[in-house]
Amino acid sequence: MNAFVSFCQAVRADFDATRGLRERYPTDGPSMQPRPLLVAAITQVGFQMLIVVRFMRLVRDLRVPAGAQVISRLIRHNYGAEIHWNAEIAPGVCVVHGNGLVISHSSRVGPNCVLFQNVTLGESMHSVRRTVGSPTLEAGVHVMPGAVVLGPIVVGAGSKIGANAVVDDDVPAGSVVRSPVSETSVRRSAEAP
């Protein structure tokens, strides 16, 4: 029963995080208007995917590992995302779109994190420490589309990882990490007719 209560609390926290994100970035479009939980579960793919992830963890916590693995495969086929059943995803996370999202087995995602499409939280060897592991995102980290976060690193609370950035070392809290853009590519695009 305790696992089911945790499941319900996590889904509610995810819904509140999703609703909070929509309130922080309001638009006039009908797709961005606040919705009840049940409607959001049907119409918002990122939130829907998180519900399935929470269910996968519930099945794992109920000691049905084969069931969790099957649900992981269903996530891959239904949402185009690969999320391992052992990844630690705190309640209160927001997934925007979710297509192409990859979260390895030992990744940790803190509360109030926002993950966009095509984000990878992957296992790798740290280039200096020579240890293998996956990233930990502390509370409130935003990871923009296409970003790749690799290895046993910690991304500090409140940090923003820009679109298409590759991060393989620790990031202090409150940082902004942007993908490198060469002056040549910027100049060429500015000179283009």
Side-chain angles (χ1 to χ4, degrees):
M1 185 65 176
N2 196 16
F4 183 73
V5 170
S6 295
F7 164 79
C8 292
Q9 290 171 341
V11 168
R12 184 64 196 190
D14 294 339
F15 173 71
D16 291 342
T18 301
R19 182 174 239 170
L21 185 69
R22 287 173 174 270
E23 289 170 359
R24 282 196 306 267
Y25 301 103
T27 69
D28 295 331
S31 67
M32 292 298 287
Q33 298 306 311
R35 299 175 175 154
L37 190 143
L38 183 59
V39 174
I42 295 167
T43 61
Q44 296 174 349
V45 174
F47 177 57
Q48 184 184 91
M49 188 170 73
L50 274 173
I51 293 171
V52 177
V53 168
R54 300 300 179 192
F55 183 70
M56 174 179 67
R57 289 300 303 250
L58 172 64
V59 169
R60 188 205 74 163
D61 292 346
L62 293 173
R63 301 184 194 280
V64 186
Q69 293 173 23
V70 167
I71 295 168
S72 176
R73 296 310 178 261
L74 292 174
I75 291 170
R76 180 186 298 172
H77 295 293
N78 288 338
Y79 299 103
E82 188 169 334
I83 302 172
H84 197 279
W85 53 92
N86 286 330
E88 294 292 331
I89 302 173
V93 169
C94 182
V95 170
V96 180
H97 304 301
N99 304 55
L101 182 63
V102 177
I103 302 178
S104 74
H105 72 283
S106 58
S107 293
R108 290 190 168 96
V109 180
N112 299 314
C113 286
V114 179
L115 304 175
F116 282 80
Q117 68 273 16
N118 297 315
V119 164
T120 297
L121 304 178
E123 184 176 73
S124 183
M125 180 181 287
H126 192 277
S127 59
V128 176
R129 296 188 292 251
R130 309 304 291 171
T131 55
V132 175
S134 299
T136 295
L137 306 182
E138 293 182 341
V141 172
H142 287 214
V143 187
M144 303 312 250
V148 177
V149 185
L150 296 172
I153 65 171
V154 176
V155 178
S159 293
K160 309 282 189 242
I161 307 299
N164 299 316
V166 176
V167 181
D168 62 358
D169 206 358
D170 293 333
V171 175
S175 297
V176 175
V177 179
R178 293 184 174 89
S179 63
V181 177
S182 71
E183 284 185 40
T184 308
S185 65
V186 172
R187 193 174 329 113
R188 284 187 187 145
S189 63
E191 294 169 359

